[in-house]
Amino acid sequence: MQEAVPPLNVIIVGAGLVGFGAAVALRRQGHRVEIYETSSFKTELGAGLAIPPNTLRCLVGLGCRVLNLDPVENLCFTSMAYDGSAGMTSDKTDYEESYGMPWLMVHRVDLHNELRRLALEVQGDSPPVSLYLNHRVVSCDTDACTVTLEGGAVRTADLIIGADGIRSTIRSFILGEDIPIPPSGTAGFRWLTDAKALEPYPELDWIVRTAPLGARLISAPIDHRTIVIYACRGGTMVNVLAVHEDRRNQDSVPWNAPVTQTELLDFFHDYHPRFKRFLALADDIHIWQMRVVPPLRTWVNKRVCLLGDAAHASLPTLGQGFGMGLEDAVALGALLPKSTHINAIEARLLAYESLRKERAEFVARESFEQQHVPAKRGLYLRCNEMRDRVMAYDVKEAAGRVLSDLENSRG
C-alpha cells in the first residue's frame, strides 16, 4: 500500500488580495498555509477594482460568493473629451456572452473580505489558513526555505511565496540582488464619492444614471490626463482614478500622498464645467505613483517563488493588474495538488513560471505602452484580438494541461 503524501507547509509573505488568493487556492488542495503580513489592517483602503471576465472566472473557481462583492456590472466603456465633446464608445456591451463571465466593478475592501473569509473560515476537512498580522518578514533563505521575522524568529516551510507587492522583500532574495523599480512618469489621483452626493445635480446623471452603465473615461491630450469613473458597492459609491503624466520627481516624493481639492481642481482647470462640477465633490483625495516591475530574470529560486505585483506590477491601463496576480495564484494551486511531494516542488515552480511569465509580462508591457505611446492609446478597447487574448483565457485549464504533461513525462 502506497504511503499517503502529507500536505505541504506553505508560507505566504503578504496578506493582500493576491496573497489571500494564493492561500485559498492552496488551502483548497489541502495544504497547510501561514500568511505573514506587516500591517494590522486597521485602516480601510478605499478604492474600486476592475474584475474582468478572466479574473471573475478565477474568483468563482476559488469559491467566491459574487453577491458578497456587491458588484456593479460594467457593460461598456464610454469616453469623452475634456471639453465635453464626444469620444469613443467601446463596441463591447456583453462580456458574458463573449467570455462566459461578466465584467464587474467592486470595492477592494469587499473583495479582500471575501477572500479573507474563504481563507480563514472553517470549511470541511481543509485546514483554515493561519494569519499573522504585524509580522514583518525581513529576509529569506532560499537554500533552507526559511523566512526571518523582525525580531529574529525563523520560520521554515516546504514552499515560500512572495506576494508582498511591488516593493517586495522576497524578490531580492530570489534574484540575489535588489531590482530597482524605475519611475514610470505616471501617477493617479484616487478618491471615492458617495453616489447620493450626485443627486442634486442633473448634469451629473451621465455618471451612474445613463444607460448603458459602465466606466466613463474623460481624456485630455495635455499630460495624457484621463479620468476613469465607475460605480461600485451596488451603485452606492463612485470610484475615481485620474491618471496623468506626473510632473514631480517621483524618486523624491512619497508613493502615496494626500492632496487638496483645490490642487485637484487646479490640475483639471481646463476641463468642461460639468466635469469640474463632479470634481468639486471630491474629498479624501490621494495621489498614487504608478510603476511597472521590469521583466525579471526569474520568479523562482528552489522552493521560493514570486507572484502578483512582486513579479510583474503593471499600470492600470488594461484593468488587469489584480487579474494577473490572481491567475498566478490559481495556477500555483492547480500545479500543486494535494498529492504533491516536497521533492516535486522545484519542478512545479519552474512549470509555474513557464506558464505565467510571458503572459503577465505582456500585460505589464502593454499597460505601460498604451499609456505612454500615443499610437497605442485606447488599443485595448479597439482591438478584439487583444481583448480575446486576455479575457477569454482560463488559467486553471491551462495549468491543468501543464500538470498533465508533467505527470505523463514522469511516466
Side-chain angles (χ1 to χ4, degrees):
M1 180 174 168
Q2 190 172 12
E3 185 177 347
V5 177
L8 300 175
N9 295 310
V10 182
I11 286 177
I12 297 175
V13 182
L17 294 174
V18 173
F20 267 125
V24 174
L26 291 162
R27 178 197 177 176
R28 287 168 65 90
Q29 297 286 25
H31 302 307
R32 292 188 289 264
V33 182
E34 297 179 347
I35 303 179
Y36 292 89
E37 165 60 36
T38 300
S39 73
S40 62
F41 289 143
K42 287 182 179 178
T43 56
E44 181 176 283
L45 177 60
L49 190 67
I51 307 293
N54 57 302
T55 309
L56 184 59
R57 187 175 296 112
C58 292
L59 289 172
V60 171
L62 291 176
C64 280
R65 297 172 187 162
V66 175
L67 288 178
N68 287 352
L69 307 180
D70 201 10
V72 172
E73 187 170 357
N74 180 46
L75 296 174
C76 74
F77 288 81
T78 302
S79 68
M80 295 161 276
Y82 75 106
D83 60 4
S85 59
M88 178 187 72
T89 297
S90 171
D91 59 355
K92 285 296 298 178
T93 56
D94 193 341
Y95 290 91
E96 187 167 9
E97 181 180 0
S98 298
Y99 305 120
M101 291 281 173
W103 182 317
L104 304 181
M105 302 297 197
V106 305
H107 193 288
R108 181 181 297 271
V109 172
D110 298 332
L111 176 57
H112 193 265
N113 287 341
E114 176 64 0
L115 289 170
R116 182 170 176 160
R117 179 189 70 81
L118 290 171
L120 305 183
E121 198 174 72
V122 175
Q123 298 175 12
D125 297 331
S126 175
V129 171
S130 297
L131 174 62
Y132 299 94
L133 301 178
N134 297 306
H135 281 63
R136 181 185 298 275
V137 171
V138 296
S139 68
C140 174
D141 185 328
T142 57
D143 291 323
C145 204
T146 62
V147 295
T148 300
L149 306 177
E150 193 172 56
V154 177
R155 299 288 183 266
T156 303
D158 300 322
L159 167 66
I160 295 171
I161 299 170
D164 49 345
I166 189 169
R167 291 186 277 186
S168 168
T169 295
I170 300 300
R171 183 171 55 226
S172 63
F173 293 97
I174 286 178
L175 291 161
E177 60 179 329
D178 289 326
I179 303 297
I181 310 302
S184 69
T186 300
F189 298 103
R190 290 183 182 268
W191 72 94
L192 285 162
T193 296
D194 192 320
K196 288 182 179 179
L198 279 59
E199 292 177 0
Y201 308 104
E203 66 268 33
L204 299 182
D205 285 352
W206 56 274
I207 295 176
V208 293
R209 295 189 176 195
T210 302
L213 290 177
R216 316 302 191 197
L217 287 69
I218 310 162
S219 300
I222 303 170
D223 294 334
H224 316 316
R225 293 170 295 167
T226 300
I227 304 175
V228 183
I229 305 170
Y230 58 82
C232 59
R233 279 196 169 160
T236 64
M237 300 296 293
V238 179
N239 180 75
V240 191
L241 171 61
V243 182
H244 59 276
E245 187 176 286
D246 200 346
R247 300 168 179 171
R248 308 168 302 164
N249 178 349
Q250 290 189 318
D251 282 330
S252 64
V253 295
W255 285 41
N256 170 26
V259 297
T260 66
Q261 186 188 88
T262 300
E263 290 174 291
L264 179 74
L265 289 169
D266 180 65
F267 197 88
F268 294 99
H269 67 92
D270 54 343
Y271 271 51
H272 189 277
R274 67 171 175 162
F275 302 142
K276 290 194 284 188
R277 170 69 268 176
F278 176 66
L279 297 178
L281 300 175
D283 62 6
D284 193 20
I285 310 158
H286 284 71
I287 184 169
W288 290 70
Q289 288 194 42
M290 299 174 179
R291 300 198 183 198
V292 175
V293 170
L296 302 177
R297 173 174 50 81
T298 184
W299 297 358
V300 172
N301 190 332
K302 299 181 175 65
R303 289 181 283 130
V304 184
C305 71
L306 298 173
L307 78 170
D309 282 355
H312 50 73
S314 63
L315 300 186
T317 322
L318 276 62
Q320 286 284 341
F322 165 63
M324 290 300 103
L326 191 64
E327 286 186 3
D328 293 346
V330 170
L332 206 54
L335 290 168
L336 297 168
K338 189 173 185 178
S339 59
T340 303
H341 193 279
I342 187 174
N343 293 339
I345 292 176
E346 290 190 35
R348 299 292 173 85
L349 292 187
L350 291 173
Y352 154 75
E353 179 183 88
S354 178
L355 173 65
R356 295 297 308 150
K357 197 169 187 290
E358 181 181 358
R359 174 172 165 83
E361 290 178 350
F362 165 77
V363 167
R365 182 174 64 253
E366 287 295 325
S367 78
F368 183 86
E369 292 180 356
Q370 292 189 34
Q371 174 65 27
H372 289 275
V373 179
K376 296 190 77 170
R377 289 187 193 127
L379 178 62
Y380 191 51
L381 300 184
R382 301 193 305 268
C383 180
N384 289 331
E385 292 79 7
M386 185 175 292
R387 288 198 305 254
D388 290 350
R389 174 178 177 178
V390 175
M391 289 191 278
Y393 187 75
D394 187 329
V395 67
K396 187 174 182 180
E397 182 181 280
R401 292 195 299 269
V402 171
L403 180 62
S404 178
D405 290 344
L406 285 171
E407 291 178 338
N408 289 337
S409 66
R410 193 178 60 183

